[in-house]
Amino acid sequence: MRKLLKAHDGKEVNTTDKSAVPDGAVPGYLLDREGSNKTKILSNMVKQKRKEKAGKWAVPIPKVKPLTDQEMYQVVKTGKRKRKMWKRMINKACFVGENFVRKPPKFERYIRPTGMRFTKAHVTHPELNTTFYLDIIGVKKNPQSSLYTSLGVITKGAVIEVNVADLGLVTQGGKVVWGKYAQVTNNPENDGCINAVLLV
Amino acid sequence: MNYNFKSIPSVPSAKDLIDTVLSKTQRKTPTEIHPQVQIARIRKFYMRKVKFTQSTIEEKLGEILEKFPKLDDIHPFYADLINVLYDKDHYKLALGHINKAKSLVESVAKDYVRMLKYADSLYRGKTLKKAALGRMCTILKKLSNSLNYLDEVRKHLARLPSIDPHTRSIIITGYPNVGKSSFMNNVTRANAEVQPYAFTTKSLFVGHTDYDFIPWQVIDTPGLLDRPIEERNIVEMQAITALAHINACILFFIDISEKCGYTVPQQIQLFESVQPLFTNKPLGIIITKTDLKRWEDLNPEYQQKIQEIVQKHNAFMSFISNENKEGVMECRNQACEHLKSFRENVKTKKVTTYGRSMPYVSVPRALNPSRPPHIPDSVIVEAQTGIKAREGPTPKEMQELQGGAGVFAIPPQAHFVELQDDDWKWDVMPEVMDGKNILDFVDPDILAKLEELEKEEEIQEDAHVPLDYDEYRDIYKVKRKIHLRRKRIQQESMMAKGTFKPKRKNLSEVEEGFKELGIDPSGLKDVVGVKRRRKPSPEIATNVEDFMDVEEGDGGEVIKKKLKLKNKALVKARKPGAIQPNPSRKELKIIGDEATKAFYDQKPQHIKHLSVGKRGIGKTDRR
């Protein structure tokens, strides 16, 4: 553990370059400042690891425009005097699992309208250059927020899991792959369909 | 029904269809909207556009579907003709394709209208509308091949002769080049092409002629060759469909001059092969080109053959020459007369046969026809010898004696037979007992059956010898051994798999196991005794410090105190009737996403005031 911490701490480098120090008289407050080099050197191992980690999540759309809450959902007013504003209606495309059962409408905080629910996506295989119409299994990650991930909101840049059983992809071990991740490349709420690129 | 396919409107190509639909949407729906207006109005604006496009497409496609003839509804002659000319499967597929496109457009529109309900900006509405129209147009674009095919079919259908399959008609048939078209030109006002080569006529032609002040339809068919039906080409198949489906007078042309290129025997052979199509239709054998060769000059052998055919099929024979129009009109008149009488005959026959074909069910004969009355032997003997077989009056006689039918009824007991004691007959017996009909339980063999059962039981008891104690013990021991061995094997295999979970055992069980292995278990109790207790009693709670390796010091005392307190609380809690502490919110919280999170206590904190407390008068949604 100690070793690990040390590796991440990096080496404190404190060297002075004698040649950089000007000759002649120097005011006291500048003494020993010039030519001194104070940085941390990270170990190669840590650097490599960081690189790998970044590479692992290299996706076709690395950055997405952040969405405000206002764009994300609409506040639904409730109560006899329409004073309560704790209900939210999601305005974006959603994936809702097959066995999802609604809470009693009175207590339902997040409403995901059936009109905006999607179960299938047009997924392009980047190497085959072909598009398939595949079933969505779930939403793996919505970059906007973890709340939206758990709600199954699908916006541009979201990573979804799709059922690729029909594609007949096989692992190195010879097993049939049936679930694969894909990143959404369009704005489903604007186009009325989900287009995605398979992450291979 | 009028078979006029000229009224089918033209089918636009896919590109034209898309253009008309989109431009109509543009022209007939409002075009201006601003982002500042109410969102509801924006939504409505775009929804209207989507719906309008959908209904326009549906209307256009529906028109095509409606106007094209449905093969199942039209006369089989036309259905077959369409099959021959355009291929039935292809035709049906094209129409089916259009029907499917119609429903697809409908579902697309439905989906997008639903999505438009949640549009929150003008931009979103606009993009959704664009996507919807785009998808509809793509569906139309895919129809392009079917639409082109249907347009070709339409053009061809419009050019078909309007043959009415129900009226009086005369069909002309024969080998190519025997003078069929010239005959029709002579008889009717039609102007069919006549050329001196085979298959000048490539499709059906219709002409009309007047005879007896009524119009007659004359159908000229392409020439037939003598070959099996599978090898016939489209041109010939048209002739075949006409011959097969139209009830008409058929004129079979035979060129005796053999100028057509086919010999007379060949022509007779053709007649024989297509003759099944002429059954139940008036038939005429027409000898043509008599100007080139007269009937008398024909080989007498052929003459006889033709005569035979005429007689066999009850046909009429006629001699014509199209060149100098000799016998043409006579031939026509003969054909018309023949058809007329035939049609009248059929009509009257229909009436008469109807009377005869009234439903009549024949009664099947009985398998055993003789059913003589049953007379008991005793009666026969009595009749023969005069000696009465039984004593006393018969029930019938008794009835007569007592006052006849209606006054005296023979008691049902009189019919009881074969009782051990005859007096039992008149015992008073309830019909129903304990709510059950006694007669349901009557079984004359019940005693015999009981006896049998008892015997069986006795035999079984004799065969059974009880085991003594030693034998029992031995069996038990073996059984136990088997059980233990099996268990061990099971555990070993589980351990090999890595799925073995040792079961918690009672101390006594462990001791027993030790004994079996031959190890003295006396020390065991001291080792595990205290720790293995599950429920700490108050005395054991004080013993905690004995086995807990508590560090001595300032902290030690505190820990000890805490432990004591906790144990006391546990003991208190486990007493029957003790109040269980409410589970904390943390305990109740179920891991899951925001939307599926369950409200176990049904009292969400943010609206607690709605559901907690007493209800006032008439207050149901707040307290």
Side-chain angles (χ1 to χ4, degrees):
Chain A
M1 192 65 201
R2 217 175 287 153
K3 216 174 175 183
L4 189 73
L5 285 175
K6 213 177 170 190
H8 279 268
D9 251 0
K11 247 186 231 162
E12 291 270 356
V13 182
N14 211 348
T15 53
T16 38
D17 189 4
K18 285 273 162 63
S19 63
V21 179
D23 292 332
V26 178
Y29 54 88
L30 282 183
L31 271 176
D32 291 343
R33 291 285 171 88
E34 269 165 274
S36 73
N37 190 3
K38 225 179 180 182
T39 50
K40 275 183 181 176
I41 294 176
L42 279 173
S43 77
N44 276 339
M45 190 186 68
V46 174
K47 273 188 198 167
Q48 192 62 33
K49 263 195 180 163
R50 282 190 184 170
K51 229 186 219 172
E52 264 176 26
K53 214 172 184 183
K56 205 171 180 182
W57 295 103
V59 284
I61 301 171
K63 272 185 185 172
V64 288
K65 203 183 110 215
L67 291 170
T68 57
D69 283 355
Q70 231 173 353
E71 287 169 297
M72 215 60 181
Y73 51 63
Q74 181 190 323
V75 176
V76 179
K77 290 183 177 177
T78 48
K80 196 172 184 181
R81 304 272 161 239
K82 297 287 170 218
R83 273 176 48 210
K84 313 203 180 333
M85 302 206 282
W86 52 267
K87 271 193 181 204
R88 305 275 181 268
M89 187 162 72
I90 309 287
N91 253 336
K92 305 283 178 202
C94 284
F95 172 75
V96 177
E98 221 169 69
N99 46 6
F100 169 72
V101 182
R102 278 179 69 187
K103 292 278 97 44
K106 188 173 178 180
F107 305 126
E108 196 176 30
R109 175 122 200 255
Y110 289 99
I111 303 165
R112 292 174 286 180
T114 32
M116 301 300 287
R117 290 183 192 176
F118 286 80
T119 51
K120 287 193 143 195
H122 300 278
V123 181
T124 306
H125 194 294
E127 283 161 13
L128 301 173
N129 276 334
T130 24
T131 306
F132 304 93
Y133 194 38
L134 302 176
D135 280 326
I136 300 172
I137 298 170
V139 176
K140 166 76 180 158
K141 179 93 189 160
N142 189 320
Q144 303 290 350
S145 136
S146 65
L147 171 70
Y148 300 141
T149 308
S150 65
L151 280 171
V153 180
I154 301 171
T155 53
K156 187 175 181 174
V159 176
I160 54 174
E161 196 172 10
V162 288
N163 187 352
V164 290
D166 298 340
L167 266 61
L169 299 177
V170 176
T171 58
Q172 283 178 340
K175 280 182 183 166
V176 174
V177 182
W178 68 279
K180 243 181 178 318
Y181 295 128
Q183 195 182 29
V184 176
T185 54
N186 71 334
N187 288 309
E189 73 278 5
N190 285 350
D191 296 344
C193 64
I194 298 171
N195 297 338
V197 175
L198 209 62
L199 306 178
V200 279
Chain B
M1 191 182 172
N2 185 25
Y3 289 104
N4 188 6
F5 299 129
K6 289 179 180 67
S7 64
I8 303 173
S10 69
V11 181
S13 70
K15 202 166 159 278
D16 290 347
L17 192 59
I18 291 169
D19 282 351
T20 44
V21 164
L22 292 185
S23 79
K24 196 177 176 191
T25 309
Q26 182 72 2
R27 281 185 289 115
K28 296 277 173 94
T29 52
T31 49
E32 217 175 311
I33 193 88
H34 301 288
Q36 301 92 319
V37 303
Q38 273 180 324
I39 185 67
R41 223 176 101 192
I42 296 173
R43 282 178 198 150
K44 218 169 148 190
F45 174 85
Y46 287 114
M47 271 193 235
R48 187 171 170 187
K49 283 200 177 254
V50 172
K51 277 184 194 161
F52 186 85
T53 316
Q54 179 241 341
S55 67
T56 318
I57 291 172
E58 222 172 87
E59 193 183 303
K60 295 266 173 201
L61 297 182
E63 197 190 1
I64 294 171
L65 287 174
E66 200 181 308
K67 289 292 161 111
F68 271 84
K70 281 169 198 64
L71 292 189
D72 300 334
D73 296 349
I74 56 177
H75 192 272
F77 162 65
Y78 275 110
D80 255 12
L81 196 64
I82 287 173
N83 184 20
V84 165
L85 292 169
Y86 322 119
D87 186 11
K88 188 168 81 185
D89 294 344
H90 198 164
Y91 180 78
K92 279 194 167 179
L93 225 59
L95 287 182
H97 198 180
I98 286 173
N99 196 20
K100 179 77 199 165
K102 206 173 124 193
S103 60
L104 278 179
V105 165
E106 206 182 312
S107 67
V108 164
K110 203 175 134 207
D111 277 0
Y112 276 86
V113 165
R114 266 209 313 191
M115 270 181 258
L116 273 167
K117 277 184 199 166
Y118 300 102
D120 55 356
S121 65
L122 179 100
Y123 174 69
R124 219 171 124 184
K126 193 175 168 183
T127 45
L128 278 173
K129 180 217 82 181
K130 211 164 119 188
L133 298 204
R135 279 185 64 180
M136 288 183 207
C137 289
T138 315
I139 291 167
L140 288 188
K141 218 195 269 170
K142 282 178 186 162
L143 277 183
S144 132
N145 281 339
S146 296
L147 290 173
N148 287 345
Y149 165 80
L150 283 177
D151 198 36
E152 290 300 314
V153 168
R154 186 208 114 239
K155 281 180 196 161
H156 198 277
L157 269 176
R159 271 186 244 123
L160 279 184
S162 46
I163 298 169
D164 185 349
H166 301 293
T167 59
R168 303 159 295 277
S169 34
I170 296 162
I171 299 180
I172 311 165
T173 184
Y175 254 106
N177 237 8
V178 292
K180 298 186 295 294
S181 296
S182 333
F183 175 76
M184 196 182 72
N185 284 351
N186 284 334
V187 167
T188 69
R189 288 176 290 277
N191 188 19
E193 199 186 359
V194 177
Q195 292 291 339
Y197 51 79
F199 290 116
T200 312
T201 311
K202 289 194 207 67
S203 60
L204 301 174
F205 282 87
V206 170
H208 294 272
T209 184
D210 282 336
Y211 172 73
D212 203 11
F213 308 110
I214 38 173
W216 299 71
Q217 188 175 253
V218 180
I219 302 167
D220 180 22
T221 63
L224 290 173
L225 295 177
D226 188 16
R227 50 183 176 183
I229 198 151
E230 300 86 42
E231 287 175 23
R232 292 191 188 278
N233 55 25
I234 292 174
V235 177
E236 287 174 276
M237 281 309 288
Q238 290 179 52
I240 297 284
T241 49
L243 289 172
H245 291 296
I246 298 177
N247 279 322
C249 177
I250 287 156
L251 303 184
F252 190 84
F253 278 44
I254 292 174
D255 176 9
I256 51 166
S257 74
E258 299 183 354
K259 274 277 154 66
C260 61
Y262 304 96
T263 60
V264 175
Q266 270 178 323
Q267 297 185 43
I268 291 168
Q269 187 57 43
L270 172 70
F271 177 84
E272 289 297 339
S273 58
V274 293
Q275 165 263 314
L277 296 172
F278 308 153
T279 46
N280 291 331
K281 286 173 195 169
L283 179 68
I285 304 291
I286 313 300
I287 310 298
T288 60
K289 302 192 187 172
T290 49
D291 53 322
L292 292 172
K293 190 176 189 177
R294 290 193 300 145
W295 173 251
E296 291 78 38
D297 300 341
L298 188 66
N299 190 340
E301 195 191 318
Y302 299 157
Q303 273 188 24
Q304 206 200 331
K305 263 192 183 172
I306 293 173
Q307 292 283 10
E308 265 173 27
I309 288 172
V310 167
Q311 275 187 357
K312 195 177 159 198
H313 294 280
N314 194 20
F316 68 91
M317 202 160 77
S318 186
F319 306 94
I320 61 161
S321 163
N322 286 318
E323 193 64 25
N324 44 31
K325 299 189 179 155
E326 208 177 86
V328 170
M329 280 305 159
E330 286 81 4
C331 170
R332 183 206 69 178
N333 296 350
Q334 231 178 333
C336 291
E337 273 303 322
H338 212 68
L339 181 60
K340 208 167 132 190
S341 62
F342 181 80
R343 281 168 76 97
E344 273 164 13
N345 229 342
V346 168
K347 271 180 198 164
T348 48
K349 234 187 199 171
K350 255 186 194 164
V351 175
T352 51
T353 50
Y354 181 72
R356 212 182 296 154
S357 68
M358 284 291 276
Y360 169 72
V361 181
S362 67
V363 180
R365 252 188 215 170
L367 291 171
N368 185 10
S370 78
R371 280 183 194 152
H374 172 69
I375 303 163
D377 290 340
S378 58
V379 175
I380 296 169
V381 170
E382 197 184 313
Q384 279 171 355
T385 56
I387 303 161
K388 273 198 172 181
R390 48 185 288 165
E391 289 166 13
T394 60
K396 172 94 180 181
E397 282 163 354
M398 216 153 77
Q399 185 181 308
E400 292 302 324
L401 280 173
Q402 300 284 338
V407 178
F408 177 77
I410 302 157
Q413 282 90 338
H415 299 297
F416 288 3
V417 280
E418 282 180 31
L419 287 182
Q420 246 176 22
D421 192 341
D422 256 357
D423 289 345
W424 292 357
K425 234 185 217 180
W426 307 101
D427 280 353
V428 177
M429 194 177 73
E431 267 184 49
V432 176
M433 198 171 169
D434 295 340
K436 279 164 186 162
N437 194 345
I438 282 185
L439 282 177
D440 285 348
F441 299 91
V442 169
D443 185 359
D445 307 330
I446 193 130
L447 284 174
K449 279 179 186 169
L450 182 69
E451 218 166 277
E452 228 171 75
L453 266 178
E454 273 172 356
K455 256 186 200 168
E456 218 177 271
E457 225 166 70
E458 247 171 56
I459 291 164
Q460 273 182 357
E461 263 172 23
D462 289 344
H464 183 71
V465 183
L467 296 166
D468 61 359
Y469 175 72
D470 286 341
E471 274 172 315
Y472 264 129
R473 207 185 44 199
D474 288 348
I475 288 173
Y476 174 76
K477 269 185 179 173
V478 173
K479 216 174 134 190
R480 175 89 188 149
K481 247 184 186 172
I482 293 169
H483 172 74
L484 287 172
R485 175 117 191 273
R486 192 184 274 166
K487 198 123 200 204
R488 202 171 59 236
I489 292 167
Q490 208 178 354
Q491 279 178 3
E492 272 165 9
S493 80
M494 275 167 99
M495 264 151 102
K497 273 189 230 163
T499 52
F500 178 67
K501 272 184 204 156
K503 199 182 150 196
R504 280 202 158 199
K505 275 184 182 169
N506 287 337
L507 186 62
S508 57
E509 277 176 342
V510 178
E511 277 175 351
E512 206 174 294
F514 270 49
K515 267 180 203 162
E516 265 180 34
L517 290 169
I519 303 166
D520 181 29
S522 55
L524 203 63
K525 209 169 189 177
D526 307 329
V527 180
V528 285
V530 184
K531 279 190 188 176
R532 289 192 65 92
R533 287 294 164 91
R534 274 177 139 185
K535 293 179 188 173
S537 64
E539 307 96 66
I540 289 165
T542 51
N543 281 345
V544 165
E545 47 208 279
D546 295 343
F547 64 88
M548 286 277 290
D549 186 21
V550 182
E551 265 182 64
E552 288 298 319
D554 299 338
E557 284 303 311
V558 180
I559 291 169
K560 270 184 215 167
K561 258 187 194 165
K562 273 188 180 171
L563 270 170
K564 263 186 194 170
L565 277 172
K566 205 178 174 187
N567 275 324
K568 262 183 196 166
L570 276 170
V571 172
K572 204 178 161 193
R574 288 216 177 85
K575 268 184 193 158
I579 299 159
Q580 295 288 329
N582 281 337
S584 66
R585 290 198 76 73
K586 232 182 199 175
E587 278 171 321
L588 280 176
K589 197 179 174 191
I590 299 294
I591 297 161
D593 57 299
E594 195 66 36
T596 53
K597 195 161 73 182
F599 291 94
Y600 271 90
D601 49 3
Q602 291 292 312
K603 284 176 210 154
Q605 287 305 297
H606 53 279
I607 47 170
K608 198 174 176 183
H609 58 280
L610 296 180
S611 50
V612 172
K614 272 190 179 174
R615 256 203 217 172
I617 302 164
K619 284 186 179 172
T620 50
D621 56 349
R622 53 177 49 255
R623 302 287 143 84

